[in-house]
Amino acid sequence: MASEETPTMTQTPIRTESAPEAKTAPTRAWAVRLMIVGIVLAALNLRPAITSLGALLEEVRDGLGMSGSVAGLLTSVPPLCFAIFGVMAPRFARRFGPGAVVCAGMAAIAAGLVIRPFAGSTVGFLVASALALMGIAVSNVLMPVIVKRWFPDRVGSMTGLYSMALALGTSLAAAVTVPVTDALGGSWKTGLALWAALAVAAVVPWVPLARERGTEGGATAGTPQRDDGLRITRSRTAWALAVFFGLQATAAYITMGWMAQIFRDAGVSAGTAGVLLAVTMAMGVPLAFVIPRLATRLPSQGPIVIALGMCGLAGYAGLYFAPAGGAWAWAVLLGISNCAFPLALTMVGMRARTGTGVVKLSAFAQSTGYLISIPGPLLVGVLYQHSGGWGVPIALMAALMVPQIVVGVIAGRNRTVEDEAAPAAAV
């Protein structure tokens, strides 16, 4: 059994052990092409449920009679759901196969997005949102696993493609939800529900992929796999990567939630502030493809971590001293800094040798990281309210960038979690 795990991670995916190679070649070709389409469509769906709601939050509050405290809670629900449901992804993947779980995740996103605008109450809205976020959470965790399983020799390129599609979906939903809603009659319910169509489209390629041999270790989909005994919490690299993931997520959620307000309070018009935020988000589209490819070519990813961190520190310094004067430069610098996200995903695939290791590392790093990120946006709001300005919150953002650089350098060292946390018997 031990010898089956290595070939699946190092050779071309989609092997059929009982069939001749000549018969499996066509199957492998169409499955790989379909997998690429499936990965792109899945990535496009991993943020619109969040950013489309942000664009229409005022209308949703008025329509449901939602209190300000509950509306504030909505900003912390996504990372909370990502942390809770992400932990379940490895167990589901072992039981049903990663492809089947992602397929179910896309279906959950579609169902949640259709149901929540018409739930008729705040509780129903939150429950339906949690359903969509559950689908996002398990897909978040399993995307690096699928990339490692199907494209072991192209981890950087495929992670870049996936990250670029995710950034595109994020910015697209933020940019077009309001104008499309207005074009369709102005109903916020229609504006939120229309994103379910994109999720339905993502289900289509994953239906046949769910039946493929999508689990690692040579097991067929739907066959339970034996745990390899890897204790991920014993790995220093896993902890470093989890903290790095959490701190970069904290910075990203603070940016999405507060950066436009910082510019508006500095005298920038509301429309320009929105464009500046869109610029920050859009920086992730090209860089999310470039950074993972570069990362896989380096023995250590520490230099990239430092470069991104320095961009973040420069951007925060600009916001502190001259928020309006150099607004476009600060938006670009913070957009570059936020590309620590695709770097973190790439390191998940690089810091584990086996498919089981990637599953456990991805679940641990993302679930722990999202838990770490929950207080950040709320703390910034509290500091802003009590200090009466943005000086203290911006100083906090800059201060958090320092430990992000430190743990990122540690996580970027050329080693694997199997070397650090393998069971004694395996050693």
Side-chain angles (χ1 to χ4, degrees), residues 201-218:
V203 173
V204 176
W206 285 100
V207 171
L209 290 171
R211 303 172 63 88
E212 287 294 321
R213 298 169 66 84
T215 56
E216 42 82 32

Side-chain angles (χ1 to χ4, degrees), residues 82-104:
F82 292 166
I84 294 173
F85 297 124
V87 175
M88 304 177 185
R91 181 177 300 178
F92 291 153
R94 287 195 299 270
R95 179 65 182 87
F96 303 105
V101 177
V102 173
C103 182

